[in-house]
Amino acid sequence: MTSNLENTPEAIEKSASPWRKEFFALMTIGLPMAATQLVQFSINIIDVVMIGRLGPTHLAAGGLGLVLFYVLFVAGMGPAVATSPMVSQALGANSDDVRDARRSVRMGLWVVGIAAPVCSIIYFFAEEFALMLGQPADVARLAEPYVLALVPGLPFALGVIVLRNFLAAIERARAPLYVIIATTAINALLNYLLIYGNWGFPRLELVGAGIASSLSHAIGFFALVAYINWEARAKRFDLFKRFFKPDWPRFFEVARLGWPISITIGFEAMLFNAALFLMGRIGVNEMAAYQVALNVAATAFMMPLGLSQAGAVRVGLMAGAKNLPGVRRASLMSILACIGAIMLFAIPVMLFPNQIAGFYLEADDASNAIVLGLVVSFLPIAAAFALFDAIQVAAGQALRGLKDVRVPMILTGISYWVIGFPIAAWLGLSTPFGAVGVWWGLLASLFAASVTLGGRLWWITRDDA
């Protein structure tokens, strides 16, 4: 017979405490990281709005330049992100092992600091690449100097990710949020001065926007460096001690862990860009509506993305401590938190698609009627795939926390490019579904990713693993 003592409030409190502790531990670092993602996402919106005042050609060139720039940014994100599980697992095994954490952060900065400038040489041929992709000559001509102005900020932008992940691992995730808020304001001010030539500054237009972004990334990086050298907990790691001393074994470990992550991120980024090209083949209105609906979906994705990154840190800490129940608990809590966060956006989008579309396009303008109708038809599907998007990002990040990156890379490639994209292309181009069919293909890809990555996470964290 079960003892009544097992049903007392004290017993219930004791049994529930690990989950409660995990929830608050996740929220402590997850909410600031989620807010940081939202604010960081707003930088692109500010740039597009301010560049747009120069005219449609400049706006098109700015959009093209950002697409070209983010090819290398995504490639560099792998090594930058790879430092997170390395640091969190080291601290999970021994919270006083500052040397191991320092080695990972230092070599993470080395990898992005060396690779970014070397790879950026290709941007001296940005105009030629743009012309090869069939872009108008005047747009390609404006895009190249803009990209070249963005390039100096690339290693600093990636360095911010490295330092941000380190601070999350030691539960100091608020500092990056404050820094990104400040640098967003700085970026807007520098745009105002350098794009338009206000207050006696030269009018540099697109080049000015690129310079503003590069300076903002550099300011943000050095602000985090200053904080790490000042804040008591971070300071004890002495991250920049003998910074220029090579540590090749750790350097190559960061690179080895990072390249599958880069490819995985690239698979997803390329899928949504490829969907844009599919929409372009269907029609201009469909392409415009896709951009609006995708912006809504991307905004909703920022909260679960930040929470999932925090989940990766929590999983890494538990894995380093050899605590398998803790790994499972942290993984499940991250998935549930991401689902809850994205539903806060997805449910209103599903219930009020007309009102959401009206934020982007003037409903009273008859010329917007077709695009508005398409946006309204896209948004419920985008809201539906939000559930699977939350699951796949949380499961994928948890796997990264376990340093499991190669199999997830393959599973992601299959989900997006063997399953999702062919469905999107077939439904969009060969059936009456048209543009709506492309969105059903995207939903299929995210559903497949949530099943395969979730299954992989369950498999490697099961009791008999």
Side-chain angles (χ1 to χ4, degrees):
M1 176 179 289
T2 303
S3 170
N4 290 333
L5 292 175
E6 294 180 5
N7 297 319
T8 62
E10 292 79 8
I12 295 173
E13 171 69 20
K14 184 177 179 180
S15 64
S17 61
W19 289 94
R20 183 176 291 108
K21 289 177 181 177
E22 183 57 44
F23 174 78
F24 285 111
L26 179 66
M27 291 299 109
T28 297
I29 58 177
L31 290 178
M33 293 184 79
T36 300
Q37 289 295 147
L38 277 171
V39 176
Q40 194 167 32
F41 184 71
S42 71
I43 293 177
N44 289 340
I45 298 174
I46 293 170
D47 282 350
V48 168
V49 169
M50 299 185 80
I51 290 172
R53 291 180 59 187
L54 297 173
T57 302
H58 287 79
L59 181 58
L64 175 61
L66 284 174
V67 169
L68 293 172
F69 175 76
Y70 277 106
V71 170
L72 279 192
F73 182 79
V74 166
M77 278 188 68
V81 172
T83 59
S84 177
M86 296 174 71
V87 171
S88 57
Q89 286 200 21
L91 295 180
N94 181 0
S95 60
D96 294 321
D97 191 356
V98 298
R99 180 176 179 273
D100 193 279
R102 179 170 62 240
R103 291 176 64 203
S104 296
V105 174
R106 191 174 70 217
M107 288 301 102
L109 293 173
W110 269 53
V111 171
V112 299
I114 293 173
V118 172
C119 295
S120 296
I121 292 172
I122 67 171
Y123 286 136
F124 284 97
F125 306 97
E127 183 175 353
E128 288 77 7
F129 287 135
L131 293 172
M132 287 171 56
L133 293 171
Q135 301 302 306
D138 53 345
V139 172
R141 177 179 53 81
L142 288 171
E144 181 174 295
Y146 174 51
V147 175
L148 291 175
L150 287 169
V151 162
L154 179 59
F156 295 110
L158 295 172
V160 166
I161 296 175
V162 175
L163 298 182
R164 191 175 74 187
N165 286 333
F166 161 72
L167 288 169
I170 63 170
E171 298 185 352
R172 293 295 183 271
R174 291 187 181 182
L177 172 60
Y178 301 145
V179 167
I180 199 67
I181 290 173
T183 53
T184 300
I186 291 169
N187 184 66
L189 174 61
L190 291 175
N191 275 346
Y192 176 76
L193 299 177
L194 297 176
I195 293 177
Y196 312 122
N198 290 312
W199 297 359
F201 283 80
R203 181 183 175 92
L204 300 177
E205 299 187 341
L206 274 174
V207 172
I211 293 172
S213 294
S214 289
L215 287 173
S216 299
H217 290 314
I219 291 169
F221 175 78
F222 287 112
L224 288 180
V225 170
Y227 173 81
I228 289 168
N229 282 322
W230 167 80
E231 200 274 331
R233 188 168 183 178
K235 186 178 180 179
R236 74 187 185 95
F237 286 83
D238 208 1
L239 285 188
F240 306 100
K241 176 183 179 182
R242 295 194 295 273
F243 181 77
F244 294 102
K245 179 183 178 182
D247 183 349
W248 297 119
R250 187 56 57 94
F251 179 95
F252 289 113
E253 184 180 352
V254 172
R256 185 170 56 252
L257 190 63
W259 72 261
I261 298 175
S262 293
I263 293 176
T264 301
I265 297 171
F267 278 147
E268 184 169 8
M270 288 189 297
L271 174 71
F272 287 96
N273 284 335
L276 175 63
F277 290 123
L278 290 178
M279 291 293 186
R281 291 186 60 181
I282 297 170
V284 174
N285 289 325
E286 287 79 2
M287 193 175 186
Y290 174 79
Q291 292 279 42
V292 172
L294 185 62
N295 185 265
V296 174
T299 303
F301 184 65
M302 291 301 109
M303 282 290 286
L305 176 59
L307 288 171
S308 69
Q309 291 170 344
V313 172
R314 292 295 307 162
V315 169
L317 290 169
M318 293 298 159
K322 309 297 183 185
N323 183 349
L324 183 58
V327 168
R328 289 197 293 265
R329 188 165 50 246
S331 300
L332 182 57
M333 184 63 71
S334 176
I335 291 172
L336 293 174
C338 288
I339 291 173
I342 210 164
M343 286 298 107
L344 292 176
F345 288 85
I347 291 174
V349 168
M350 186 171 286
L351 294 177
F352 308 108
N354 288 284
Q355 290 81 353
I356 299 295
F359 285 127
Y360 291 84
L361 296 163
E362 182 56 57
D364 296 332
D365 188 341
S367 64
N368 290 333
I370 295 176
V371 177
L372 274 169
L374 288 166
V375 173
V376 170
S377 69
F378 294 164
L379 286 178
I381 306 173
F385 79 42
L387 170 65
F388 306 117
D389 211 3
I391 295 172
Q392 69 86 20
V393 73
Q397 290 283 359
L399 290 168
R400 288 176 195 170
L402 295 169
K403 296 185 181 178
D404 182 45
V405 293
R406 296 196 181 188
V407 172
M409 174 187 69
I410 296 170
L411 295 176
T412 301
I414 293 172
S415 298
Y416 293 160
W417 290 98
V418 177
I419 298 174
F421 182 74
I423 293 175
W426 175 65
L427 290 176
L429 303 179
S430 303
T431 75
F433 283 104
V436 173
V438 175
W439 281 94
W440 283 114
L442 295 176
L443 187 150
S445 68
L446 292 170
F447 172 76
S450 67
V451 171
T452 56
L453 294 175
R456 172 68 177 174
L457 179 62
W458 170 82
W459 178 257
I460 67 174
T461 60
R462 68 194 191 283
D463 286 324
D464 59 342

